[in-house]
Amino acid sequence: MLIEFVSLQDSSVSIPQAQIIQQLNKAKILHQQNKIEEAESTYQNLLTVSPDNEDILFPLAQLYLQTARIEDASDILKRLCIQVPNKVHYCDLLANTYAQLKKFDQACNCYLSFLQNNSGTANTFFNYAYFLKSAGQYEEAIAQYKNALKHNIAQPEEIYVNMAVIYSDNLHLVNKAIEALETAINIKPEFVPAIYNLASIYEERGDKDLACRYYQEILAIIPNDPKVQARLAENKTFTNSNSDLARSIKANLSNKFLDTESKIDLNFALGKIHNDSKEYDTAFDYYQKANQLSAAHAPQYNRIGQEQNTSDNIKLFGKDWFENAPVQTDESPIFICGMFRSGSTLTEQILAAHPAITPGGELDIIPSLVAENLNSYPNSMSEITKGELEKFSGTYLSQVKKLFPDAIKITDKRPDNFLYLGLVKTLFPKAKIIYTSRNPVDNCLSVYFLQLAREMNYATDLDDVAHYYSQHRRLMAHWKSLFPETIYEVNYEDLVQAPKQSISSLLDFLDLEWNDACLKFHKLTNPVKTASIWQVRQPIYQSSTGRWKNYQKQVNSIQWLLNNKY
């Protein structure tokens, strides 16, 4: 049913109201008939007559949203928010368009403006908090979630889960995260997201028994939950591939209605179970199946593109670039980088045992700076200004300080930051880079056995992993040639063979005195949010060195890495 105007704005062009209503109804009919261009033209013509009319602006905004013209939709919604500042629906829509455009600060400003002129509802505060978190304003996000609770939001257990995520992942206040999750469970005892997150936190803290207890609680609520079965497999050590959990997982895999993501989880889990049980051929078969399923739902790895990216880095960031770099600072942040599964987590955990070091974990500050400001990196760096570089360095330092206000030295352990060392060394010439390396075949096999994020699409094919490894080594050779004094390589095999000697040299590189606690790193209870979580909860061990020999026939195609420079 078509809705007529309640009122019309005055206009310098005098057209009878009945005629405007007729044209608006025509536009709506055209819109319903999917005659988008004609409908848009009619709406726009009406706006020349009545430019601030809500009844014209809103259907036009809907048209733009339905046709994915997000920029155009945001322009119209901005006008609606100005003309009708008390309608939160327009605020919600505008904030969502900004979010789609990755303009999270502007999404937050929508709610800030609305709340300055209107009283908010519980849902308004919830939405505001959600976008504040996306914008990196974590403390304010917590404050707005609390406002939502004060306004008696429905399903408050969900709010406590969201707060716990911020406390754990962003503010590094793990005890507050646990408190929030326990509150959620008190409100709703069988609230699985809260139980799952609580299990994950105890897993990250190294408490296997408590983690498994909570995972088992979930299975009592949702029997055969694939993700929980996979986590249990990761948290246990198996000597028998015919265990109750293994049989349960295999039965679950036979379910023809099982979704692909669950099949991936369970095949990785069975790979781990059979690997633990020393049934290596069967283990590889499951890992291969998991990766084949993953590859079918991810973009294909582009070898030529990766080679070009490496070449572009080497070409742009040469000796001349750094001699003429405009930013000069005495700040010397510490970065730990290299291939995933190369020992970076172990290295950071060893350093975390030193009283002068605070482990930052996998901070996404540098990758986010690149993604948000430097399209087509590294080539976009050729036109960078001194002002932009100073802004980037200030942003990095302020964000780290905000996360770790009392830290003396912080480690930024984001393995793939090796791709951005040109930017890092431009911003911070005195930055210290710890490069972790490992036997290349062991490293590639370990990556292949790990369920990585979809964007790391090289990980689903062993030959692609080897290619990516060779390009990483080619790029690191370039950085090491430019910065021999400020890049220190920690080799995993050397570390496990002679830990004290390796750790002592590493501490010397960082201008730190020896501390015996670094040999007892496995006793730390700080959260570890990587796949190496259990490996750093025990003393240095050698069982992961030479692992590839258990899979000699499967890794035959990548053994060239052992003798190849790149």
Side-chain angles (χ1 to χ4, degrees), residues 260-271 283-297 448-451 454 459-460:
T260 301
E261 198 63 41
S262 296
K263 291 177 183 177
I264 293 169
D265 289 338
L266 296 182
N267 275 287
F268 272 115
L270 287 171
F284 192 89
D285 288 342
Y286 279 115
Y287 282 127
Q288 187 174 55
K289 179 63 175 176
N291 278 298
Q292 287 170 344
L293 288 167
S294 296
H297 294 83
Y448 187 68
F449 287 176
L450 180 64
Q451 189 173 1
R454 288 269 166 85
T460 60

Side-chain angles (χ1 to χ4, degrees), residues 228-243:
V228 174
Q229 287 181 324
R231 293 319 308 154
L232 280 170
E234 193 63 36
N235 278 270
K236 294 176 179 289
T237 301
F238 299 86
T239 56
N240 179 7
S241 63
N242 195 36
S243 65

Side-chain angles (χ1 to χ4, degrees), residues 448-483:
Y448 187 68
F449 287 176
L450 180 64
Q451 189 173 1
L452 288 171
R454 288 269 166 85
E455 56 266 26
M456 300 173 194
N457 52 350
Y458 62 86
T460 60
D461 180 276
L462 201 51
D463 291 322
D464 283 343
V465 181
H467 180 271
Y468 185 88
Y469 183 96
S470 70
Q471 290 306 304
H472 124 272
R473 191 153 62 178
R474 177 181 162 216
L475 185 54
M476 281 308 308
H478 174 67
W479 300 135
K480 288 165 69 178
S481 72
L482 290 174
F483 309 109

Side-chain angles (χ1 to χ4, degrees), residues 194-412:
I195 302 171
Y196 185 89
N197 285 2
L198 195 55
S200 296
I201 285 178
Y202 284 115
E203 184 178 347
E204 290 165 0
R205 295 184 80 168
D207 193 334
K208 278 188 179 186
D209 293 339
L210 200 48
C212 288
R213 194 192 92 190
Y214 282 113
Y215 286 133
Q216 292 287 6
E217 278 189 23
I218 297 173
L219 290 181
I221 300 166
I222 310 175
N224 299 320
D225 181 280
K227 190 167 288 296
V228 174
Q229 287 181 324
R231 293 319 308 154
L232 280 170
E234 193 63 36
N235 278 270
K236 294 176 179 289
T237 301
F238 299 86
T239 56
N240 179 7
S241 63
N242 195 36
S243 65
D244 289 344
L245 181 60
R247 290 197 303 272
S248 178
I249 290 174
K250 289 173 183 177
N252 210 359
L253 265 177
S254 67
N255 179 0
K256 64 180 181 181
F257 299 110
L258 199 65
D259 63 277
T260 301
E261 198 63 41
S262 296
K263 291 177 183 177
I264 293 169
D265 289 338
L266 296 182
N267 275 287
F268 272 115
L270 287 171
K272 196 265 185 185
I273 290 171
H274 284 277
N275 179 78
D276 284 359
S277 305
K278 303 185 188 313
E279 297 169 359
Y280 300 117
D281 288 350
T282 305
F284 192 89
D285 288 342
Y286 279 115
Y287 282 127
Q288 187 174 55
K289 179 63 175 176
N291 278 298
Q292 287 170 344
L293 288 167
S294 296
H297 294 83
Q300 186 175 3
Y301 173 62
N302 184 348
R303 295 191 184 189
I304 295 174
Q306 193 65 36
E307 290 172 14
Q308 186 61 54
N309 181 271
T310 303
S311 296
D312 289 345
N313 269 285
I314 292 170
K315 181 179 179 181
L316 180 66
F317 295 115
K319 188 175 180 181
D320 289 346
W321 171 274
F322 293 103
E323 286 178 349
N324 298 304
V327 172
Q328 294 296 324
T329 175
D330 288 330
E331 297 288 345
S332 55
I334 301 169
F335 294 85
I336 302 174
C337 61
M339 281 287 290
F340 283 95
R341 310 296 284 152
S342 63
S344 59
T345 303
L346 174 62
T347 300
E348 182 176 55
Q349 195 72 352
I350 289 169
L351 290 174
H354 195 286
I357 294 288
T358 297
E362 294 188 3
L363 302 178
D364 66 351
I365 304 174
I366 292 295
S368 292
L369 281 173
V370 172
E372 293 168 13
N373 302 281
L374 295 167
N375 248 349
S376 303
Y377 181 90
N379 296 325
S380 51
M381 284 288 288
S382 61
E383 297 180 1
I384 201 79
T385 66
K386 180 179 180 181
E388 288 173 315
L389 290 173
E390 289 174 344
K391 179 183 176 183
F392 295 164
S393 61
T395 296
Y396 181 86
L397 294 172
S398 65
Q399 288 194 25
V400 169
K401 184 67 175 176
K402 190 175 182 180
L403 289 170
F404 309 99
D406 301 321
I408 301 170
K409 291 177 181 285
I410 299 157
T411 50
D412 182 340

Side-chain angles (χ1 to χ4, degrees), residues 6-19:
V6 175
S7 63
L8 287 169
Q9 303 293 326
D10 291 335
S11 173
S12 57
V13 180
S14 179
I15 294 180
Q17 181 172 324
Q19 186 177 339

Side-chain angles (χ1 to χ4, degrees), residues 159-174:
I159 307 300
Y160 284 106
V161 166
N162 285 8
M163 290 169 64
V165 170
I166 296 174
Y167 281 135
S168 175
D169 292 353
N170 306 117
L171 297 178
H172 304 277
L173 300 172
V174 179

Side-chain angles (χ1 to χ4, degrees), residues 103-160:
K103 297 178 179 179
F104 296 112
D105 286 333
Q106 288 174 257
C108 296
N109 288 337
C110 293
Y111 289 102
L112 182 61
S113 298
F114 179 84
L115 291 169
Q116 285 172 345
N117 299 296
N118 304 277
S119 58
T121 65
N123 287 340
T124 306
F125 291 116
F126 176 90
N127 292 342
Y128 189 18
Y130 178 84
F131 289 118
L132 283 164
K133 193 244 182 190
S134 299
Q137 300 181 48
Y138 304 121
E139 292 92 345
E140 185 59 26
I142 291 289
Q144 297 306 327
Y145 275 133
K146 288 180 178 179
N147 277 334
L149 290 168
K150 287 177 185 176
H151 284 73
N152 298 315
I153 192 166
Q155 298 172 308
E157 66 275 6
E158 295 181 1
I159 307 300
Y160 284 106

